[in-house]
Amino acid sequence: MRIDILSILPELLDSPFKYSIIKRAIDKGIAEINIHNIRDYSTNKHKKVDDYAYSVGAGMVMTIQPIVDLIDQLKSERKYDAIIFTTPDGTPYQQAHANQFSSFKNIIILCGHYKGIDQRIRDHYITHEFSIGDYVLTGGELAAAVIADSIIRLIPGAMSDETSALSDSFQDHLLSPPVYTRPADYKGWKVPDILLSGNEKKIDEWKLEQSLEKTKRIRPDLLDKK
Ligand code: 6GU
């Protein structure tokens, strides 16, 4: 899979793809990330990428020209399965989207900034608009990194134990149960006896019980989706 990320602050994306599962997926060649600086495509003599909104007091808006030129160039090189825009007024991004996108071949993620981008880009180029939660970030770069990470780890071969993606919180609309490792007793803090029993069936029942209890307590909304 190839992901092209379009940003006016590409430095913000320097580190998220350099470690762990994502780095290994890139090293293995099953994922490729290309980060593009939108400013490089501005034909303005000052390399401007924003302008005043057509409405008083609305602040700055990202201009059409550099974004269109960049996307047109990418589209002339290959076919894209999705052109995503990260924005706080987008659809709430969820695990089901990551699952869907993990089988795609080429994806563009355009990072939002300032007050937004000219609506005509959204109308004519963008296929999906996503928010990663009900809070406001300085820019869409961190959201783009979140989305790319959630997709890449699901590509077959990215994780050594592929079944572990299936047990992720949200895959079955349940939060993960608590996990423990050695020692079984740390200064009197004990691992639940059941986990030391060796009874796999009982352990699975306990995990499901714990998941249900935790989900009911922290995310009761998830249980309505089951
Ligand atoms: Cl995608 N962008 C920004 N700027 N803020 C956000 C967001 C995205 N998702 C949640 N907050």
Side-chain angles (χ1 to χ4, degrees):
M1 169 186 300
R2 174 184 168 122
I3 302 180
D4 290 276
I5 305 183
L6 285 41
S7 163
I8 55 162
L9 251 178
E11 293 81 4
L12 261 176
L13 294 161
D14 276 348
S15 71
F17 309 112
K18 282 199 186 142
Y19 303 94
S20 180
I21 292 170
I22 306 303
K23 175 190 184 332
R24 283 201 298 277
I26 292 168
D27 290 348
K28 280 198 230 169
I30 62 180
E32 177 183 338
I33 302 219
N34 292 279
I35 294 161
H36 306 269
N37 190 343
I38 293 170
R39 201 174 296 280
D40 293 342
Y41 291 78
S42 174
T43 54
N44 176 276
K45 64 173 180 286
H46 306 293
K47 296 278 169 204
K48 250 171 73 91
V49 290
D50 62 340
D51 209 336
Y52 294 99
Y54 275 120
S55 113
V56 200
M60 305 301 277
V61 175
M62 285 167 75
T63 52
I64 298 185
Q65 177 273 319
I67 296 171
V68 159
D69 286 358
L70 174 47
I71 298 181
D72 279 348
Q73 184 184 315
L74 291 170
K75 284 176 78 171
S76 75
E77 292 163 357
R78 66 197 63 77
K79 195 183 168 314
Y80 283 91
D81 303 300
I83 304 181
I84 296 168
F85 177 51
T86 55
T87 177
D89 62 349
T91 303
Y93 184 72
Q94 303 209 319
Q95 185 63 36
H97 298 118
N99 295 347
Q100 180 198 350
F101 295 148
S102 68
S103 64
F104 285 3
K105 213 165 155 304
N106 299 303
I107 296 174
I108 289 173
I109 307 179
L110 170 63
C111 304
H113 243 279
Y114 305 119
K115 286 285 172 193
I117 59 170
D118 193 295
Q119 180 62 34
R120 289 165 287 183
I121 302 260
R122 296 169 74 153
D123 293 342
H124 297 287
Y125 281 87
I126 301 301
T127 61
H128 301 77
E129 302 186 330
F130 288 120
S131 159
I132 60 162
D134 292 341
Y135 40 80
V136 179
L137 303 170
T138 314
E141 281 76 11
L142 296 177
V146 164
I147 291 171
D149 182 298
S150 71
I151 296 169
I152 292 168
R153 62 188 289 283
L154 294 177
I155 303 172
M159 280 194 277
S160 45
D161 179 8
E162 277 173 47
T163 58
S164 71
L166 296 174
S167 63
D168 286 340
S169 284
F170 301 110
Q171 285 294 16
D172 50 9
H173 302 299
L174 281 180
L175 301 183
S176 296
V179 292
Y180 298 87
T181 185
R182 289 180 290 184
D185 184 340
Y186 178 81
K187 297 180 180 173
W189 299 343
K190 294 203 171 68
V191 170
D193 285 337
I194 181 80
L195 294 177
L196 309 176
S197 70
N199 185 334
E200 286 301 326
K201 190 169 166 281
K202 279 260 159 20
I203 291 174
D204 282 347
E205 283 169 15
W206 177 86
K207 283 178 162 173
L208 180 59
E209 223 170 77
Q210 293 285 318
S211 278
L212 280 165
E213 184 282 320
K214 195 174 177 180
T215 310
K216 212 178 284 176
R217 180 161 44 88
I218 298 173
R219 292 294 306 276
D221 56 299
L222 292 179
L223 294 172
D224 299 334
K225 296 186 183 176
K226 276 181 79 73

